[in-house]
Amino acid sequence: MAINLQKGQRIDIGLSRISVGLGWDPNEGTGHDFDLDASAFMIDANRLIPAEDFFIFYGNTDSPDHALHHTGDDPTGGNSEDGDDETIEIDLSKVDARVEEILFVVTIHDAVQRRQNFGQVRSSYIRIVDNTSNQEIAKYELEEDFSVETAVEFGRLYKRNNKWKFEASGIGYKEDLAYFLGKYYKGQIIK
Amino acid sequence: MAISLVKGQTIDLRKSDRGETFDLSTVTMGLGWDVRKKGGFLGKLFGGNEPEYDLDAVAFLLDENGKVADLGQTVQRPDGRRVGLYGGDVIFFNSMRHPSGNIWLTGDNRTGAGDGDDEQIIVKLESLDEKYQKILFLVTIYQGRHNGQHFGMIDNAFIRAVDARGREIAKFSLSGEVAFNNMCSLVFAEAYRKDGGWKFRALGTPQATDNFVDILKAYVYQ
C-alpha cells in the first residue's frame, strides 16, 4: 500500500536498505521520447556535495562510499512494463560521515527543446521503497501533481541523532538538472 | 573541475551498440580540427600572415588517487635545451613515449592540415600497468595566448577512439561552444577502468591557459 505523503511530512527510516524508483510509460504518440532522470545529491554540512562523485546521476552511477547505486539511464521509459525504469539503491549504513542529507530529484531531459512537461508523460511516478519488506513508503504521481513542471524535488533523507528520516518535499520546478546541480556544486557545469 | 550533464558521452570501450567486441590491444585516440580562417576566401588569398594553429595533444596517466605519480625528470637535450617532465607519466611533445612503451604520441602536427586525425595518441590499454586507473586526454593551443588564438575559432574539432583493427569505437564532436571562446586548452576526454574493462568519456572542459602545466598542477602530489 502506498502512502501518498503530504508535502513536508516526515517519516523515520528504521531500515538501512531502501530504494528510490522512478517509472513512466514510453511515448506512444509522435514526437520525442520522454527521458526522465532520477538523480541524488549527497550533501554535507556546507550544503554542498563533498566531491563530484557524490552527485549520483546517469553519468555517475556509484557514490565513492558505495552507499548509493543508480541502475543506469533509461532514455525512453521502456526498461520496465509497469515497474521502475530507473532506480537508486541506497544502503544507509555505508553513507560517508560527511554526508548529512541525500536529496532526490526527477528531471525531464531536454524538456525545453522537446517542449515537454510531466503532464504529457503517462503513468509517471517517483516512490521510495523499503527493500526489506518491499513496502512503499511514499509515492508521487508526477503527471497529476506536477503537470506543468519539468523537474521535481522529491524528498530528502536526513540524519538526526544518527537516525535517518525521510521528508517528502514535492516541490515542482520549471527547471533542469543543471539548476539543482548549481545549488550544491560550485564547479563548472557542462550542459 | 567540472561535471558534464551531456548524455550519450560515456561508452564502454569493449562493446559497440551492436554488441560487437572491440580489440583493445591497441587503441588510437585521434584528435582532429579545422581552423576557421578569418576573412573567408579573399582573406586566404591575401592574408596568410597569421601564425598557424599548433595544437598539441597531451595525456596524463593517473593513479588510483587521480594523480600523476611520476613527473619524470629534467634532462638536457643534445641541442643544449633543458626540458622538464621527461620520461614520466605525462605524454607530450617533449616526452612522446612512455617508458613502459604502452602509450605514445605519434608526432607533432603543427598546422592542423589535412582531413582526419591531426594528432594521435596510441595506447595499449590491455598492457597498461594496473596502477594506471585513468588517462586524461588534453589539447592545448601552443602559444595561443600570445597569438590570440582560442578554441572558439576552431571548427570540426573531434576526438575519436579507434580499435586495433581500425574500427571506430566512438567519436565526439567538441566544436561550436560559446564556452570555448578565449579558451586555449581543452580537456577532451578520459578513459578509465570500470568493472574490469575500460570506459571512455568525452569531457570538453575548457580552460583559459595555453600551458598544460597549469592544468597538471591539480593532478600532482603536493
Side-chain angles (χ1 to χ4, degrees), chain A residues 43-59:
Chain A
I43 303 165
D44 65 14
N46 303 320
R47 307 288 307 150
L48 295 169
I49 50 174
E52 292 179 3
D53 291 355
F54 286 89
F55 167 46
I56 302 302
F57 71 120
Y58 49 81

Side-chain angles (χ1 to χ4, degrees), chain A residues 7 146 149 151-153 170-174:
Chain A
K7 290 175 189 183
F146 309 102
E149 279 97 354
V152 171
E153 189 179 300
I171 308 165
Y173 297 83
K174 292 179 179 165

Side-chain angles (χ1 to χ4, degrees), chain B:
Chain B
M1 295 306 287
I3 295 178
S4 172
L5 298 177
V6 179
K7 280 206 180 186
Q9 299 231 304
T10 303
I11 51 149
D12 193 321
L13 283 178
R14 280 170 299 188
K15 289 222 186 314
S16 73
D17 297 344
R18 296 185 297 282
E20 61 182 326
T21 309
F22 289 112
D23 179 350
L24 298 186
S25 53
T26 309
V27 173
T28 303
M29 295 290 171
L31 309 174
W33 60 86
D34 293 334
V35 176
R36 194 178 309 160
K37 292 279 187 278
K38 288 188 192 151
F41 177 68
L42 289 176
K44 266 190 244 181
L45 279 182
F46 302 112
N49 287 332
E50 288 171 32
E52 293 281 9
Y53 273 70
D54 177 3
L55 271 73
D56 291 317
V58 181
F60 299 168
L61 289 169
L62 305 180
D63 65 9
E64 60 187 359
N65 301 317
K67 303 282 189 195
V68 174
D70 183 357
L71 290 168
Q73 49 198 308
T74 301
V75 295
Q76 189 145 11
R77 283 284 175 78
D79 62 6
R81 264 195 328 138
R82 293 178 66 74
V83 298
L85 298 170
Y86 184 80
D89 291 339
V90 177
I91 310 302
F92 71 114
F93 49 84
N94 281 337
S95 183
M96 289 170 52
R97 181 171 279 272
H98 189 258
S100 70
N102 292 325
I103 175 166
W104 65 95
L105 185 61
T106 57
D108 187 4
N109 178 320
R110 298 199 171 177
T111 65
D115 288 340
D117 300 346
D118 293 312
E119 295 223 349
Q120 291 181 334
I121 292 178
I122 300 174
V123 197
K124 290 183 167 172
L125 277 181
E126 289 169 346
S127 312
L128 211 58
D129 193 304
E130 198 65 37
K131 70 182 175 192
Y132 301 117
Q133 289 290 308
K134 189 188 265 191
I135 311 168
L136 211 57
F137 298 97
L138 302 81
V139 185
T140 60
I141 304 175
Y142 184 73
Q143 301 265 318
R145 285 247 143 318
H146 176 264
N147 293 330
Q149 300 169 329
H150 57 79
F151 274 101
M153 305 157 90
I154 283 180
D155 284 331
N156 302 325
F158 67 84
I159 184 165
R160 63 185 192 139
V162 176
D163 83 344
R165 291 183 230 161
R167 289 175 302 182
E168 193 170 276
I169 303 168
K171 183 173 180 178
F172 297 115
S173 168
L174 292 162
S175 295
E177 293 282 335
V178 177
F180 293 171
N181 279 338
N182 300 318
M183 297 290 173
C184 295
S185 298
L186 205 53
V187 181
F188 251 83
E190 59 185 9
Y192 57 100
R193 288 185 195 272
K194 183 99 185 186
D195 305 330
W198 282 88
K199 285 198 163 197
F200 181 59
R201 181 190 290 149
L203 295 168
T205 315
Q207 303 232 16
T209 180
D210 60 7
N211 185 345
F212 74 84
V213 175
D214 290 334
I215 299 171
L216 182 62
K217 286 171 187 164
Y219 295 96
V220 296
Y221 286 101
Q222 298 306 329

